[in-house]
Amino acid sequence: MNPVNGIEIPSIFPLRAFLLQALCLLVAIAAESYFFHSALKLTRRNSIAAAATTNLFAAVIGWLIFFYIAYFLFDLIPALNPLKHDLVAYIFLNQYSPVLASAIIFSATTVFLILFFLKIYIIKFMSRLQLLGKEAVVLASKKRSKRYPLPSIVLWAHSCSNTLILTILFLVNWLN
């Protein structure tokens, strides 16, 4: 509690959630840039730029959608208020509730699929704008078309990064 003008205001700053999000973003960017570099034949700089852009955009959009859904869904359906408190406790305080188990599994699967398609769209958009370099995108599309299509490369990269993130989350929760 921080006393401000005689009034105690609780300070809620989810530093742990911010640091964990930053760690997960760094891991995802590193893993996905490796796939983009090796499979798409992009330069290291362009592969890191593609991975960073897709993951940062996905994280921002993901949090905005989460807060939008949490704000409106929980207000529209009063029966979900216990779930709202459990969800806030899980995100900010890392206090897991068994009520959240099925909701987390369903949400994680849905988010995985949505982010997969979003990343494909972002990479195609970046290549159309030639943000990844003219020659890199043209050469990569010619070489790649025979062996690996873009969606399969993004699926492998996205799956690998999410597996690493789940491993980190498991270790973080296991060490507490």
Side-chain angles (χ1 to χ4, degrees):
M1 299 282 186
N2 298 330
V4 176
N5 297 332
I7 302 172
E8 291 189 11
I9 301 172
S11 63
I12 299 176
F13 186 70
L15 183 62
R16 181 178 182 184
F18 288 142
L19 292 176
L20 194 59
Q21 178 72 49
L23 176 66
C24 291
L25 279 173
L26 289 174
V27 167
I29 290 169
E32 291 181 14
S33 67
Y34 171 76
F35 279 94
F36 295 157
H37 174 68
S38 61
L40 291 178
K41 305 297 183 207
L42 296 174
T43 63
R44 291 189 192 275
R45 181 178 180 174
N46 289 336
S47 62
I48 291 171
T53 303
T54 57
N55 283 297
L56 289 172
F57 188 74
V60 169
I61 295 297
W63 278 109
L64 289 175
I65 290 172
F66 168 75
F67 285 121
Y68 180 77
I69 288 174
Y71 180 75
F72 287 111
L73 185 65
F74 290 128
D75 285 344
L76 291 175
I77 305 171
L80 293 177
N81 278 337
L83 185 66
K84 179 181 181 179
H85 297 294
D86 290 341
L87 187 62
V88 169
Y90 179 68
I91 290 175
F92 292 116
L93 304 174
N94 201 28
Q95 296 175 348
Y96 182 74
S97 170
V99 176
L100 286 176
S102 61
I104 288 175
I105 291 171
F106 174 74
S107 299
T109 305
T110 305
V111 166
F112 177 84
L113 292 173
I114 290 170
L115 291 180
F116 165 64
F117 290 113
L118 183 66
K119 286 180 180 184
I120 291 173
Y121 176 75
I122 292 171
I123 289 176
K124 285 182 178 180
F125 183 73
M126 288 176 67
S127 66
R128 282 192 189 119
L129 292 179
Q130 298 178 350
L131 295 175
L132 300 177
K134 281 184 187 180
E135 58 280 344
V137 175
V138 172
L139 289 174
S141 64
K142 287 181 182 176
K143 290 179 184 177
R144 169 179 45 82
S145 62
K146 295 178 183 173
R147 283 186 73 179
Y148 304 111
L150 180 66
S152 65
I153 294 169
V154 175
L155 178 64
W156 277 100
H158 187 57
S159 300
C160 179
S161 67
N162 279 316
T163 302
L164 290 171
I165 289 170
L166 284 175
T167 304
I168 289 171
L169 291 175
F170 174 75
L171 289 173
V172 165
N173 287 327
W174 182 60
L175 293 175
N176 281 336

